[in-house]
Amino acid sequence: MLKGRHLIEPADLSVQEIEEICSLAEQIIVDQTAFSDVCRGKILATLFFEPSTRTRLSFEAAMLRLGGSVLGFADATSSSSTKGESLADTIRTVSSYTDIIAMRNPKEGSALVASQYSSVPVINAGDGGHHHPTQTLTDLLTIRSLKGGFENHTIGFCGDLKFGRTVHSLVKAMSRYSNNKFVLISPNELSIPQYITEQVIKPAGVEYVSALRLEEVIGDLDILYMTRVQAERFFNEQDYIRLKDSYILDKEKMKLAKSSMIVLHPLPRVNEISPEIDTDPRAAYFKQVKYGMYARMALMAKLTGAL
């Protein structure tokens, strides 16, 4: 039963609950009009203490498409936090007006604190480098819809694997399903944290390999999850210059990939995926954006008890 629950991190959802949310999202995709009134009278508060385009608008579009209403702010300077109000007091106040809260805050652990003071469900829309569970739901729904399920995939995670919270969350999520293999593609400076391999990947029995160059392994992949490599993450500029082009997906690299491979990206992108890839049928990152709205529609319908 998801009604009244908070969603702070992806592990808050069981495999069965993820199945329920994805199944509902797929029903919404098939016939959106059948769900256009299920949240009539419900109010979503979007409390975004740092900038966001896709996530905030996706939440708002999702609630509006369910027939509900939205209030909130997109900038911390618009809130009473600038006057020194505590997060606890902000949440106590807002939860008295609304039925569900989606919050992004740069402070790690802020979503958990918010859930302790809220009288309505809190959805973590990003708390610093910790968690972004609805992005994980977005990724899972995209994979299920385009690849038929969560099992038997070779998944390449490419770019900044050290600091990328979306990578960490998806690795954790896909480790729960059988017969997946991970290919971890990054410079040594940005390799996946040891605790992820030791506490998540190995205990789950997932086969994994590391690679320095994308073109050497792209032909093995069913799913390629791209992220940005940032120059500021390197201690040595020469190392960055030497490696940076290895993590730019272009037509030449795509020629080496399977015709059935899909390319995902949590966005925003900078230059890690060439715009020339956008018309490739394997490019799924803008489809992924739309799946994110459907995933959030299903999630909010469940948490508010509308369905």
Side-chain angles (χ1 to χ4, degrees):
M1 187 69 175
L2 287 165
K3 181 181 179 181
R5 294 253 299 274
H6 303 295
L7 179 57
I8 308 304
E9 60 173 293
D12 290 340
L13 296 173
S14 68
V15 169
Q16 179 58 41
E17 288 163 345
I18 289 171
E19 175 77 20
E20 290 177 22
I21 292 167
C22 287
S23 293
L24 177 56
E26 288 171 345
Q27 293 174 44
I28 294 170
I29 291 169
V30 170
D31 186 5
Q32 189 175 308
T33 58
F35 298 87
S36 61
D37 210 39
V38 299
C39 281
R40 182 72 57 191
K42 303 287 187 186
I43 299 175
L44 162 71
T46 51
L47 309 184
F48 278 66
F49 292 87
E50 64 177 355
S52 169
T53 302
R54 277 154 299 279
T55 302
R56 181 176 61 85
L57 294 181
S58 178
F59 269 109
E60 294 181 358
M63 180 54 86
L64 292 171
R65 287 180 182 276
L66 291 170
S69 304
V70 178
L71 56 80
F73 54 83
D75 186 334
T77 60
S78 303
S79 76
S80 291
S81 63
T82 59
K83 302 176 183 178
E85 182 177 56
S86 68
L87 177 61
D89 284 359
T90 297
I91 294 298
R92 285 189 181 106
T93 301
V94 173
S95 66
S96 68
Y97 302 149
T98 61
D99 300 285
I100 190 167
I101 294 171
M103 187 186 81
R104 171 168 289 186
N105 192 296
K107 295 180 180 178
E108 296 178 355
S110 56
L112 179 60
V113 171
S115 70
Q116 294 167 345
Y117 292 95
S118 179
S119 58
V120 300
V122 171
I123 301 173
N124 182 7
D127 63 333
H130 262 192
H131 302 291
H132 192 356
T134 60
Q135 180 63 53
T136 307
L137 278 177
T138 295
D139 298 339
L140 290 173
L141 178 61
T142 306
I143 290 169
R144 175 165 144 153
S145 298
L146 298 182
K147 300 299 289 184
F150 301 132
E151 301 177 343
N152 306 310
H153 301 306
T154 297
I155 308 163
F157 295 93
C158 181
D160 183 352
L161 308 190
K162 182 175 183 178
F163 299 101
R165 66 187 176 191
T166 59
V167 169
H168 301 169
S169 292
L170 188 56
V171 164
K172 291 175 183 178
M174 294 302 287
S175 293
R176 300 164 85 176
Y177 300 94
S178 64
N179 203 33
N180 287 323
K181 177 181 177 181
F182 298 152
V183 181
L184 307 174
I185 311 150
S186 73
N188 293 327
E189 294 86 345
L190 298 177
S191 61
I192 203 159
Q194 187 176 1
Y195 83 89
I196 296 287
T197 56
E198 296 298 325
Q199 299 177 24
V200 178
I201 298 175
K202 288 182 179 179
V206 178
E207 182 182 349
Y208 73 99
V209 296
S210 297
L212 192 62
R213 306 186 76 84
L214 174 57
E215 55 267 42
E216 293 174 357
V217 294
I218 192 171
D220 301 326
L221 306 180
D222 302 307
I223 300 163
L224 172 58
Y225 197 88
M226 292 293 298
T227 64
R228 182 164 64 99
V229 172
Q230 303 169 71
E232 60 269 27
R233 300 298 193 190
F234 285 80
F235 296 114
N236 186 315
E237 184 180 5
Q238 284 71 37
D239 287 341
Y240 172 70
I241 293 171
R242 175 173 55 85
L243 291 167
K244 65 183 178 67
D245 290 343
S246 297
Y247 308 102
I248 297 175
L249 185 64
D250 55 24
K251 281 188 175 181
E252 291 305 307
K253 292 187 181 73
M254 287 295 281
K255 288 177 182 178
L256 304 172
K258 296 176 183 176
S259 61
S260 60
M261 186 190 77
I262 60 170
V263 181
L264 304 182
H265 191 302
L267 299 180
R269 69 170 166 183
V270 181
N271 62 352
E272 61 276 11
I273 299 179
S274 171
E276 67 187 12
I277 303 301
D278 295 352
T279 56
D280 190 303
R282 294 168 290 184
Y285 32 90
F286 290 116
K287 292 179 182 176
Q288 192 177 353
V289 170
K290 197 153 193 176
Y291 283 122
M293 181 185 69
Y294 293 127
R296 292 177 177 105
M297 288 175 73
L299 175 66
M300 290 193 292
K302 290 282 189 181
L303 296 184
T304 59
L307 290 174

